[in-house]
Amino acid sequence: MRVDPALTRTIHHADPVVQEVLDIWAARLLQGQIPLGDITSTVARIEKWTDWGPEWMETARVHEEMGEQALEEGRNISAVGSFLAASRSYHL
């Protein structure tokens, strides 16, 4: 039995293409260890589908910059965590 995504949807977007992508990929992003906060904050900055790539790259850059700062401050474990988050975002 196929469940209508509109019935289980937790993230909403006005652009139907963005919504379709979220319906298909949100669970995969979460399974790929992308924090829900990263998904929702990125989606909040998107007006239309063509915004997705640049905004998603910005989300990854934020993690990368946090990693650089942590590394400079000698917080190596935090740096590794931020670099891993950045790499997962860049990958997806």
Side-chain angles (χ1 to χ4, degrees), residues 7 18-19 22 29 31 38 46 48 55-56 59 63-64 67 70 74-75 84 86 90:
L7 299 175
V18 173
Q19 186 63 60
L22 288 169
L29 292 169
Q31 187 171 14
D38 284 358
I46 293 172
K48 56 191 178 306
E55 291 301 333
W56 194 253
T59 297
H63 287 292
E64 185 177 5
R75 298 181 295 115
L84 287 172
Y90 282 129

Side-chain angles (χ1 to χ4, degrees), residues 52-70:
W52 183 278
E55 291 301 333
W56 194 253
M57 295 297 281
E58 180 59 29
T59 297
R61 262 189 298 281
V62 167
H63 287 292
E64 185 177 5
E65 290 169 3
M66 289 170 40
E68 293 289 346
Q69 181 178 355

Side-chain angles (χ1 to χ4, degrees), residues 26-48:
R28 292 177 183 157
L29 292 169
L30 291 169
Q31 187 171 14
Q33 298 181 333
I34 301 297
L36 179 60
D38 284 358
I39 298 168
T40 56
S41 66
T42 303
V43 168
R45 297 190 310 265
I46 293 172
E47 290 184 31
K48 56 191 178 306

